[in-house]
Amino acid sequence: MREFHRVVGVTATTLLLLLGENQFLNSDTFAAAEEICNLGDLIGNDPSYTCVDGTFNCPATVVCPVVCMPEGEACPTGSECPLFTNLCLDGSCAEDCSIANALYNTEDFESPCPDCRPVICPKVVLDYESCKSAFGVYYKNTTDCAQKEEEESVALFTLREGGFVAIYFWACFVPFTMIIWCYFNQRIAPVSGSTKPLMMESDSSQTSWTQTGYQGFASVTSNIGLFLYFLTMITLFGYQILLGLLTIFYYIQQDAIAWFSPIFEDEVQVLKVHEITWGVAFFYTIVLKWPISIRSVFYRRCTLGGATHVAVMTPKVNERMGEEASSKVKSIKAAIKAVKRAVIRIMSFIYCDTHASDEEFDVIYCPVQIDENGIRHFFFRLRRYNFDEKSQLFIPGSILLGETCNDYLRLKSGLESVEVPKRRSVVGSNTIQMNRPIFLVTMISEFSKFFYTYQVFMIWTWFPLWYYYMACVQSIIVVTGGLVISIFRYRNERNLYRITRVTGNVSILRDGVVNTVSHTELVPGDIVAVEPGMAYADMLILSGNDIIVDEAALTGESTPIAKVAVDSAEGNTIYSYMSHKRHTISAGTRIVEAQGIMAVVLSTGSHTSKGEMLRDILTYQRHHFKFDTEVKVVVGILALYAIFGFTLTVSLYKDDFVFEWFYGMFVVGTSLPPLLPTVFTVSVGVSDDRLARKRIACVNNEDILVAGKVRRVFFDKTGTLTKQGLDFIGASYDGTVDTTKLSGNLLLGMATCHNLKLSSKGLLVGNHVDHNMFIATGTALSQSADGTINVLLNDGTTVKVLKRFEFDHHRMTQSVIIQRSDGTVCVFVKGSGESVERLCLPKTIPEKFHINLENAAKQGIYQISLAMKELIYDAKSVVTLSRDNVENGLTFVGFINFKNQLREDTADVLGQLEAGDVISSMVTGDNTLTGINIAREAGLIKQDQEIIFGKSVDNAGIISWVNEDGEVTPMPSVGKIKNRNIALAVTGKVWATLNEQSQDNALSLAPYIRVFGRCTPLDKVSVIESFVNNGTTCCMVGDGGNDCGALKTAHIGIALSDAEASIVAPFTSLDKSITSVVEVLKEGRCALASALASYKYMIIYGQVESINQIANAYFSVTFHEWCWVFMDGIWMMSMAFSLSLAHAETRLSPKRPTSSLLGAHTMFSSLGVLVINFIFTCIALGLLTSQDWYHCRKWDSTDISNITLIGDNYEASVLFIITGYQYISSAMAYNFGYTHRASWWKNYVFVTLASVYTIVHFLATLWPSKLSCLWRLNCTNENIVPAVTDTRIPINNVFNTTVMPMGFRIDLIVLMVFNTVAIMSWECFIVNGVGKKVAARFTKKQADYCKYLLDHHDTVV
């Protein structure tokens, strides 16, 4: 057979290398041969004799390939047996041929000659030219004879046989029927009313969500869909099976699999069928990757009433840019959108699907379930939707127990048992319906992505042509990359699942009896006897006041909070969580103490506060960066490059196109590296692990990349920049700081106007400020069995607390009604100075009230005003009083002063952020002047900076700007702000006004605003939202509580909380340390820089590999098996993954790392390294061709049908030595830490691997040994080692060696060293040295121009 003759006739084929162009040599004669090869060894003519010319002279002496002759003809002159010997059948010469002839007739003997010319002539030692001139015509006749013999003996398929026709019919029938089904289902017979609006919430009247009913494989029509679905899936997997069978058929034809008879007898034909099958299967599979799921294509549209699946179509979440989008990015996005629109039109035609025609929507198919009460429902984004028979719609399942507090107070008697199933049918069980993550499911989901489909088909191109070991290597690479991503995804899913899963029992009141049930059985309206432990639902406290709750897991608030029952006096007020926070227990919080507490369940499952946060997390989409858009362009560029490489490779090879196609596909497969998608995931995972070791928890580790681009950090003041709580420094009527004047009503108010209570251990529980204030009074707190709070004053009298009104963020006040020992009743109110002033009688306000407020704020004193009034009500009637009844007509009592103490590390953290080009600002609810004082103390505002303060806004919207002395001053232009070194401070109201009047003006002032004061929680959200919407990557740092909204609004939220399961922010500092901000940003920058370094390495790897393939095509050679295993497997994988292990730099760099794949920095770096590598490859090949010894040792075969026969040559050796080391040296260049990663030598794993690989590579290059023979370098038959897939294969060239002269080997070592130095110098000194300076100079010119424009901008007042 043809391949058999190719293998056994390799020596004859190899001699034809010498018959090509430029191969004619000036030879000497037999005398020269005798000097090099021992001609005497050929006496007896051992057929296995080989000759190795170790002189590196030209002409090179070789053992001439065997001459084959027809029977009856004598061997040619020069290829004859010596005198007195006879020619034996095996080609040896002996006096007696009986033994040799007997061996010839055994099955173990493989003749090097075809059947048409069976006589084997003796071997001859000659130089190239003599072999060619003496025996060339005989070699040509032998090759022609063997070819003709093969063509006559091989039976070819016509490809019109019945089996082939059946496959053709199947391949056409299945796609055709699928298209007909889609057209029928979506166009011809769409069911009227199958698509209707879907409400996001039960009270939503307008929504852009839709729900479409589909029937699964149940009805007759759906059974047709089921049948077509199975046909489609059988075809999909059938193509893969067929490709596998064709691969097996190939190796059967090659006699590699001997236990089956060949199906295809011709090598070319089986490969041609393989290629056609590959093309059809690839197109078919790609088309099937378009739908949401293949199964859904065959569902029959129907009304929602009969649907087994509901397709929920929702608007796509707008891409939130993590950085400001440049015009280039916008242009790229527009181009991608145009291409995507064209693809959508094509797919819309194929599937006739209305969903596919709108790129602005996501479609998710939700299975319809039926509960025990027969209620049809489905879950979408954790929320249950029930089918409503009246409207024939699925609507969100929710229960509203009431509107006012009185509505809830009336529910004290609990539910009847018959009511419970009805309510459970509406909202479902009290669980968050999140499927338990299964690694196998996560892995299948990952490997179902388009990239892996592409890689699978690339792997199929590696299997034939004896490249199956490389197919195995590529499979390992692809599987490893997919598993790495799957592991990180599974870990994230598992961590989130753990937050959703809780177990436990609760005591509830039903049918007038308290029973213990599983928490999953709770429904809205249940009355729960609250006990210490986990809170399983959102609840409103109806009775009892002895409860302490730790809300750290939900809000980040580190201090346990005392909760009280809802006040009957507020019965007519509308219930809301924010207004009645003190009466509400949220699901997911931990109840520290509770005694005699009864609460009504407000909401369960995903409707709870915890459920809503988890819904936010599950629907969260990481903010988009430039690389999210540019990666699509990169893939497009690589695809075009792959097409170019394929075309060039095919044109360079000079063999049958069937073989050329495979080698061209090898270039395509390496142009888009298989590990490219893993580089960002691995870098993020490594940084996530390091943050975890620093006790910084991360809910979604993709946010680590976002942290690398943070431009602005907002800090809460109290508990964040300053220590938790405030230190009491004094109180007085006139505002002086005096601790000696605590007496009378001032002392009484401080002792009673708070929300403190005693724990079961006798410890004070409550707000830090209240705690320190109370301790300063020297009074004592006691608590009776019924929960009544009493205060024992210093004079021995006791004051009873009748009623408390918690602090209200809108009112900015807190109040308490007490009864003195003499029975009189009064109310004390404390709060911000401005709020208390509005509630007081003007005549009671001190003359210098505002001056006191301003002076205290300037000194950084947190000042609370206290007021009171006598009440004419008795102790019983005050219970019914509302807040509005008591908080008016007050008499001013005095000022209570506290001081914030900075954290020890605040100044250092702010200094590091400033050095890292990160703007820091304070956003606080405190007085703006207090914030300014703390900002100066912390270094947020420099001591020499002038401050202009946006103090207030009048009714006409005019902003009052004042300096530190309170003098009104016009607001200067942005240019003057910078020139005069001015820092701005504004109140939350002023910022909102600036935004309303001119957002552009507000954003131009934003970089100079250092303090945002008097901000409510909503103001904090508004401030950060303005920057986020403008494309500024923001970070918010707070200690939870009223920072929750801002923490979630920012790109990066860091909560200082000790709750490991906190979901209030993407990051949680368990040590509650402000240094966590710097650590997150450092790891973010490190992860982004490492990801870009790994990305550039993978691109270089792919291009160096493709250049390798093209160069191999030029010389019609390839590398041996172990070469590919090391290059594509061991070196590439270990270098790519270990690059991501670089540690973060100890300090923040003045510049953020780039996130652009097509930016000047990335392109300059990648193209520069690629060009340098290419130049050195060309130098190495040029150096080879300049060697005198090489000119008589060139490789000129054009037969590429078997890769095991075309690797033993000097062209392949030089290419492997130089380009193989470029796999290592390129990674070394990208391992430099620069400014975001630690020094290169601190990546210990990488340095160790690179060092070992370098030593091994240099040793193999310099010294012939079994090590060098592993890669067939500097190798002779004495040192050969087993190949990956076979036993020891002899050197397959006429020289029987690949050893190179020592001088040339040293030249190659020098080239590798200079290549490495060149690319490392390029990266270190040019790209990150001169290049950065040029970029900085260009940026400075732009900045100077902008500054000029700003300086001449009109002043804004």
Side-chain angles (χ1 to χ4, degrees):
M1 271 77 72
R2 182 179 180 185
E3 183 56 29
F4 170 75
H5 293 304
R6 278 200 173 95
V7 176
V8 300
V10 64
T11 52
T13 304
T14 307
L15 183 65
L16 295 179
L17 307 176
L18 312 177
L19 305 181
E21 295 179 1
N22 302 321
Q23 295 298 321
F24 297 96
L25 309 172
N26 295 322
S27 65
D28 292 325
T29 57
F30 285 93
E34 284 183 80
E35 294 177 3
I36 301 167
C37 295
N38 189 354
L39 184 59
D41 287 346
L42 285 178
I43 298 176
N45 196 43
D46 178 4
S48 64
Y49 177 80
T50 59
C51 169
V52 177
D53 181 353
T55 66
F56 297 103
N57 293 326
C58 281
T61 304
V62 299
V63 176
C64 293
V66 172
V67 175
C68 300
M69 298 296 292
E71 284 187 277
E73 292 189 20
C75 292
T77 302
S79 181
E80 301 166 323
C81 286
L83 294 174
F84 311 115
T85 60
N86 299 307
L87 178 62
C88 302
L89 295 178
D90 66 352
S92 62
C93 297
E95 294 179 5
D96 181 7
C97 290
S98 57
I99 297 176
N101 291 344
L103 292 173
Y104 176 82
N105 291 317
T106 62
E107 293 182 357
D108 294 333
F109 183 82
E110 292 185 357
S111 175
C113 294
D115 294 338
C116 60
R117 299 176 73 90
V119 177
I120 308 171
C121 294
K123 287 186 177 182
V124 179
V125 175
L126 290 174
D127 61 80
Y128 282 0
E129 179 65 18
S130 297
C131 288
K132 186 227 26 150
S133 61
F135 310 120
V137 65
Y138 298 100
Y139 296 142
K140 185 178 186 305
N141 291 338
T142 300
T143 302
D144 293 342
C145 172
Q147 251 181 338
K148 185 176 180 181
E149 183 182 81
E150 182 181 13
E151 290 170 358
E152 291 174 352
S153 63
V154 172
L156 296 177
F157 286 110
T158 65
L159 303 185
R160 291 191 295 272
E161 288 81 0
F164 288 103
V165 172
I167 293 175
Y168 304 153
F169 174 78
W170 185 283
C172 296
F173 172 76
V174 173
F176 178 75
T177 53
M178 182 185 73
I179 293 173
I180 294 299
W181 166 266
C182 293
Y183 195 73
F184 167 80
N185 196 27
Q186 303 289 351
R187 306 289 185 185
I188 297 176
V191 177
S192 176
S194 59
T195 299
K196 292 186 177 181
L198 178 70
M199 291 185 292
M200 290 176 278
E201 298 295 344
S202 57
D203 58 347
S204 298
S205 56
Q206 299 293 330
T207 176
S208 55
W209 293 13
T210 63
Q211 51 184 320
T212 303
Y214 284 90
Q215 199 167 57
F217 306 132
S219 64
V220 175
T221 308
S222 297
N223 283 337
I224 297 174
L226 175 62
F227 174 71
L228 295 177
Y229 168 69
F230 279 118
L231 285 184
T232 302
M233 296 305 294
I234 289 171
T235 306
L236 183 65
F237 290 105
Y239 277 126
Q240 302 300 314
I241 295 171
L242 186 56
L243 286 169
L245 289 174
L246 288 171
T247 301
I248 294 172
F249 293 161
Y250 171 79
Y251 287 104
I252 293 175
Q253 189 278 330
Q254 295 284 293
D255 295 328
I257 302 177
W259 54 88
F260 292 107
S261 298
I263 306 298
F264 292 85
E265 295 187 12
D266 181 65
E267 177 189 17
V268 173
Q269 190 170 61
V270 67
L271 291 177
K272 187 177 295 183
V273 173
H274 188 285
E275 292 169 5
I276 294 171
T277 304
W278 186 95
V280 174
F282 183 73
F283 177 77
Y284 180 79
T285 306
I286 293 304
V287 170
L288 287 179
K289 294 299 295 181
W290 178 261
I292 304 300
S293 71
I294 301 176
R295 189 184 184 95
S296 64
V297 172
F298 300 98
Y299 290 154
R300 175 73 177 109
R301 286 185 71 161
C302 65
T303 60
L304 293 168
T308 60
H309 293 76
V310 175
V312 178
M313 188 165 68
T314 59
K316 283 192 175 182
V317 179
N318 291 330
E319 294 183 358
R320 302 182 296 173
M321 292 299 294
E323 53 195 338
E324 188 172 358
S326 65
S327 57
K328 181 183 73 174
V329 172
K330 292 176 181 177
S331 300
I332 292 173
K333 291 179 70 174
I336 292 173
K337 192 172 183 179
V339 173
K340 187 176 180 182
R341 192 178 296 114
V343 175
I344 288 174
R345 288 198 184 101
I346 296 172
M347 293 302 174
S348 299
F349 171 78
I350 294 175
Y351 290 104
C352 304
D353 192 354
T354 54
H355 298 327
S357 64
D358 196 338
E359 60 177 326
E360 301 301 326
F361 288 85
D362 287 320
V363 181
I364 298 177
Y365 287 82
C366 305
V368 176
Q369 305 173 32
I370 302 177
D371 64 16
E372 64 273 11
N373 295 310
I375 303 299
R376 300 173 63 250
H377 64 279
F378 68 82
F379 287 92
F380 176 68
R381 294 183 181 175
L382 304 183
R383 187 61 45 83
R384 174 170 167 146
Y385 290 81
N386 299 313
F387 184 70
D388 179 58
E389 295 288 349
K390 183 178 180 181
S391 62
Q392 290 292 296
L393 292 171
F394 283 92
I395 60 176
S398 61
I399 296 175
L400 182 63
L401 300 177
E403 292 186 354
T404 65
C405 293
N406 275 335
D407 294 333
Y408 294 100
L409 289 169
R410 296 189 189 102
L411 303 174
K412 289 184 177 181
S413 58
L415 297 175
E416 299 293 330
S417 296
V418 294
E419 178 67 19
V420 174
K422 298 177 183 178
R423 299 196 177 194
R424 190 174 295 119
S425 294
V426 176
V427 297
S429 61
N430 183 32
T431 57
I432 295 175
Q433 294 293 325
M434 182 178 178
N435 294 330
R436 184 187 187 91
I438 301 172
F439 180 72
L440 180 61
V441 174
T442 303
M443 187 175 66
I444 292 174
S445 172
E446 178 63 28
F447 282 101
S448 297
K449 294 178 179 178
F450 172 80
F451 181 81
Y452 298 98
T453 301
Y454 159 77
Q455 289 296 338
V456 165
F457 278 94
M458 288 299 104
I459 288 171
W460 279 123
T461 66
W462 289 91
F463 269 108
L465 297 188
W466 296 88
Y467 253 131
Y468 61 86
Y469 65 90
M470 269 310 300
C472 295
V473 171
Q474 290 292 324
S475 298
I476 292 172
I477 294 172
V478 172
V479 170
T480 300
L483 284 176
V484 168
I485 296 177
S486 300
I487 289 170
F488 284 121
R489 277 187 55 196
Y490 172 73
R491 189 172 66 178
N492 285 342
E493 292 170 358
R494 183 188 58 191
N495 292 340
L496 191 59
Y497 178 79
R498 285 175 178 171
I499 297 175
T500 67
R501 295 297 96 180
V502 291
T503 57
N505 298 322
V506 292
S507 298
I508 59 173
L509 178 65
R510 287 182 185 166
D511 300 322
V513 179
V514 176
N515 293 310
T516 301
V517 299
S518 169
H519 77 91
T520 61
E521 296 186 25
L522 286 176
V523 296
D526 264 328
I527 300 300
V528 176
V530 180
E531 300 170 347
M534 180 67 70
Y536 300 110
D538 285 356
M539 297 178 286
L540 179 65
I541 303 172
L542 301 181
S543 62
N545 291 307
D546 191 11
I547 181 169
I548 300 172
V549 179
D550 181 359
E551 296 185 330
L554 200 65
T555 66
E557 182 64 56
S558 58
T559 306
I561 298 171
K563 302 275 186 176
V564 297
V566 63
D567 191 352
S568 58
E570 301 178 30
N572 293 325
T573 60
I574 302 297
Y575 172 80
S576 70
Y577 173 78
M578 291 305 298
S579 300
H580 298 84
K581 195 174 179 181
R582 185 165 171 74
H583 314 305
T584 305
I585 303 173
S586 297
T589 59
R590 186 171 62 88
I591 299 168
V592 180
E593 293 183 9
Q595 185 175 356
I597 304 297
M598 301 300 289
V600 59
V601 174
L602 301 174
S603 54
T604 58
S606 65
H607 294 274
T608 62
S609 302
K610 177 181 178 180
E612 291 294 349
M613 283 192 173
L614 288 170
R615 275 164 53 86
D616 289 342
I617 293 174
L618 289 176
T619 57
Y620 169 81
Q621 288 192 351
R622 176 179 58 77
H623 296 77
H624 279 64
F625 284 114
K626 292 176 183 176
F627 62 70
D628 290 300
T629 300
E630 293 176 345
V631 71
K632 301 169 186 175
V633 179
V634 171
V635 171
I637 293 173
L638 293 178
L640 294 175
Y641 174 78
I643 294 172
F644 167 77
F646 176 88
T647 306
L648 183 59
T649 303
V650 168
S651 66
L652 289 174
Y653 277 117
K654 305 300 182 184
D655 205 338
D656 195 312
F657 177 77
V658 168
F659 302 111
E660 295 172 352
W661 182 89
F662 280 98
Y663 285 93
M665 291 306 296
F666 298 158
V667 176
V668 173
T670 55
S671 296
L672 187 60
L675 286 184
L676 197 59
T678 68
V679 294
F680 289 98
T681 302
V682 173
S683 298
V684 163
V686 170
S687 290
D688 187 18
D689 288 339
R690 284 201 290 257
L691 287 174
R693 290 195 291 270
K694 295 174 182 176
R695 291 182 51 77
I696 301 173
C698 181
V699 176
N700 190 337
N701 61 19
E702 286 189 355
D703 283 316
I704 294 175
L705 289 177
V706 184
K709 297 297 289 183
V710 167
R711 300 173 61 89
R712 187 152 194 155
V713 178
F714 294 91
F715 292 93
D716 180 36
K717 179 176 71 70
T718 307
T720 303
L721 292 175
T722 64
K723 295 178 181 178
Q724 187 66 43
L726 298 164
D727 295 335
F728 174 78
I729 59 173
S732 66
Y733 173 78
D734 56 7
T736 57
V737 179
D738 190 348
T739 58
T740 64
K741 296 183 179 180
L742 298 183
S743 60
N745 287 333
L746 183 58
L747 174 65
L748 184 58
M750 291 173 56
T752 58
C753 193
H754 51 72
N755 280 321
L756 300 175
K757 64 176 301 181
L758 291 176
S759 68
S760 58
K761 297 179 181 180
L763 301 176
L764 286 173
V765 177
N767 182 274
H768 281 292
V769 176
D770 286 346
H771 182 276
N772 292 340
M773 178 185 69
F774 180 77
I775 293 298
T777 64
T779 57
L781 194 72
S782 64
Q783 195 168 323
S784 59
D786 62 357
T788 302
I789 302 294
N790 297 298
V791 178
L792 179 63
L793 301 179
N794 298 330
D795 59 3
T797 60
T798 300
V799 177
K800 183 178 182 181
V801 176
L802 302 178
K803 189 170 186 175
R804 284 171 167 174
F805 295 100
E806 64 181 281
F807 180 78
D808 186 290
H809 286 287
H810 297 292
R811 295 173 180 265
M812 299 295 286
T813 59
Q814 176 185 16
S815 54
V816 62
I817 301 176
I818 62 170
Q819 183 180 36
R820 298 189 183 93
S821 57
D822 60 3
T824 58
V825 177
C826 65
V827 59
F828 282 94
V829 179
K830 69 178 172 65
S832 67
E834 298 88 343
S835 300
V836 171
E837 181 189 17
R838 289 195 300 269
L839 303 177
C840 289
L841 299 172
K843 61 182 180 181
T844 67
I845 299 297
E847 183 179 349
K848 296 184 179 180
F849 180 84
H850 292 285
I851 295 176
N852 288 335
L853 289 180
E854 189 169 318
N855 288 337
K858 287 180 180 179
Q859 297 171 41
I861 294 174
Y862 178 74
Q863 193 171 73
I864 297 175
S865 295
L866 181 69
M868 60 88 64
K869 77 172 179 178
E870 301 289 339
L871 297 178
I872 58 174
Y873 302 94
D874 56 28
K876 292 183 178 179
S877 59
V878 297
V879 177
T880 61
L881 292 177
S882 68
R883 194 163 193 157
D884 292 332
N885 295 137
V886 297
E887 291 187 1
N888 59 71
L890 304 176
T891 298
F892 183 79
V893 174
F895 299 99
I896 308 170
N897 300 310
F898 301 86
K899 180 71 175 179
N900 267 138
Q901 300 298 329
L902 276 182
R903 290 176 180 260
E904 291 79 2
D905 46 12
T906 294
D908 179 61
V909 168
L910 293 177
Q912 289 192 55
L913 292 177
E914 183 180 11
D917 193 31
V918 177
I919 300 174
S920 299
S921 297
M922 179 194 300
V923 53
T924 177
D926 289 348
N927 188 291
T928 310
L929 291 173
T930 304
I932 292 172
N933 179 271
I934 296 296
R936 276 204 188 278
E937 190 176 343
L940 198 61
I941 298 176
K942 305 303 179 185
Q943 295 299 326
D944 60 344
Q945 276 189 294
E946 179 185 350
I947 295 176
I948 294 181
F949 170 31
K951 185 176 183 180
S952 59
V953 183
D954 63 19
N955 294 332
I958 303 299
I959 299 174
S960 174
W961 296 92
V962 298
N963 58 23
E964 286 185 272
D965 297 326
E967 300 170 350
V968 176
T969 181
M971 182 62 210
S973 66
V974 173
K976 291 181 180 179
I977 291 176
K978 191 172 182 179
N979 290 336
R980 288 168 51 186
N981 195 22
I982 295 174
L984 300 180
V986 296
T987 64
K989 187 175 182 181
V990 168
W991 172 253
T993 303
L994 283 171
N995 255 322
E996 291 172 4
Q997 292 177 350
S998 172
Q999 191 175 47
D1000 290 341
N1001 181 45
L1003 293 173
S1004 68
L1005 297 175
Y1008 308 100
I1009 300 178
R1010 291 294 179 266
V1011 177
F1012 296 84
R1014 284 292 183 228
C1015 289
T1016 66
L1018 290 179
D1019 287 336
K1020 292 183 179 182
V1021 171
S1022 175
V1023 168
I1024 294 176
E1025 203 169 48
S1026 300
F1027 288 89
V1028 170
N1029 293 338
N1030 189 49
T1032 301
T1033 311
C1034 299
C1035 172
M1036 173 66 194
V1037 188
D1039 60 347
N1042 58 17
D1043 299 323
C1044 289
L1047 288 168
K1048 290 195 292 184
T1049 302
H1051 294 92
I1052 296 297
I1054 303 176
L1056 308 184
S1057 169
D1058 55 5
E1060 292 188 24
S1062 176
I1063 55 177
V1064 67
F1067 296 92
T1068 302
S1069 173
L1070 303 179
D1071 291 333
K1072 296 184 284 187
S1073 171
I1074 193 176
T1075 57
S1076 301
V1077 181
V1078 177
E1079 294 299 331
V1080 170
L1081 266 59
K1082 286 195 300 185
E1083 286 296 343
R1085 293 185 177 189
C1086 176
L1088 192 54
S1090 294
L1092 263 295
S1094 298
Y1095 160 82
K1096 289 187 289 186
Y1097 174 70
M1098 292 307 301
I1099 293 295
I1100 292 298
Y1101 150 75
Q1103 307 325 302
V1104 169
E1105 177 110 332
S1106 61
I1107 290 173
N1108 260 336
Q1109 298 278 8
I1110 294 171
N1112 282 337
Y1114 178 79
F1115 293 109
S1116 294
V1117 300
T1118 190
F1119 302 142
H1120 261 281
E1121 300 174 0
W1122 280 114
C1123 298
W1124 292 117
V1125 170
F1126 271 82
M1127 289 193 303
D1128 287 339
I1130 297 172
W1131 291 343
M1132 184 271 288
M1133 291 180 64
S1134 58
M1135 292 289 94
F1137 285 139
S1138 59
L1139 268 177
S1140 301
L1141 300 178
H1143 291 273
E1145 184 56 281
T1146 55
R1147 307 286 290 185
L1148 288 173
S1149 165
K1151 298 294 181 182
R1152 285 166 291 279
T1154 180
S1155 63
S1156 175
L1157 305 183
L1158 297 175
H1161 184 273
T1162 306
M1163 295 298 290
F1164 205 47
S1165 171
S1166 301
L1167 291 177
V1169 172
L1170 183 60
V1171 169
I1172 292 172
N1173 284 338
F1174 179 74
I1175 290 173
F1176 274 90
T1177 302
C1178 293
I1179 292 174
L1181 292 174
L1183 186 64
L1184 174 65
T1185 59
S1186 69
Q1187 303 296 307
D1188 292 335
W1189 57 266
Y1190 168 73
H1191 287 289
C1192 58
R1193 292 170 174 82
K1194 289 183 179 179
W1195 182 266
D1196 198 30
S1197 173
T1198 58
D1199 183 2
I1200 58 173
S1201 60
N1202 191 316
I1203 57 97
T1204 62
L1205 305 180
I1206 59 175
D1208 292 329
N1209 49 76
Y1210 295 108
E1211 293 85 351
S1213 294
V1214 171
L1215 277 172
F1216 174 74
I1217 289 172
I1218 297 299
T1219 63
Y1221 191 66
Q1222 287 172 354
Y1223 288 56
I1224 302 166
S1225 60
S1226 298
M1228 292 165 63
Y1230 291 132
N1231 184 52
F1232 279 117
Y1234 303 123
T1235 54
H1236 307 295
R1237 296 180 292 164
S1239 298
W1240 63 271
W1241 57 269
K1242 291 186 179 180
N1243 190 346
Y1244 306 116
V1245 175
F1246 178 89
V1247 171
T1248 301
L1249 290 173
S1251 300
V1252 171
Y1253 295 158
T1254 298
I1255 293 171
V1256 171
H1257 200 77
F1258 282 20
L1259 286 175
T1261 302
L1262 283 174
W1263 286 282
S1265 62
K1266 288 189 178 296
L1267 173 63
S1268 64
C1269 281
L1270 182 68
W1271 298 318
R1272 312 288 277 199
L1273 306 176
N1274 295 316
C1275 187
T1276 60
N1277 285 327
E1278 288 73 21
N1279 288 326
I1280 57 174
V1281 297
V1284 177
T1285 59
D1286 207 337
T1287 56
R1288 290 174 174 84
I1289 302 175
I1291 299 297
N1292 284 308
N1293 63 39
V1294 294
F1295 323 113
N1296 300 303
T1297 181
T1298 60
V1299 176
M1300 297 172 285
M1302 176 56 78
F1304 184 68
R1305 287 178 244 161
I1306 293 175
D1307 290 341
L1308 293 179
I1309 292 289
V1310 172
L1311 272 181
M1312 286 188 282
V1313 171
F1314 275 98
N1315 189 355
T1316 304
V1317 171
I1319 59 176
M1320 294 177 81
S1321 299
W1322 173 264
E1323 273 295 297
C1324 188
F1325 300 116
I1326 305 301
V1327 175
N1328 291 281
V1330 176
K1332 281 193 172 182
K1333 290 179 180 178
V1334 171
R1337 189 175 302 170
F1338 177 74
T1339 304
K1340 185 177 184 302
K1341 287 182 179 179
Q1342 288 186 315
D1344 290 342
Y1345 178 68
C1346 293
K1347 178 178 177 294
Y1348 171 80
L1349 294 178
L1350 292 172
D1351 287 344
H1352 293 79
H1353 191 275
D1354 292 337
T1355 300
V1356 180
V1357 181

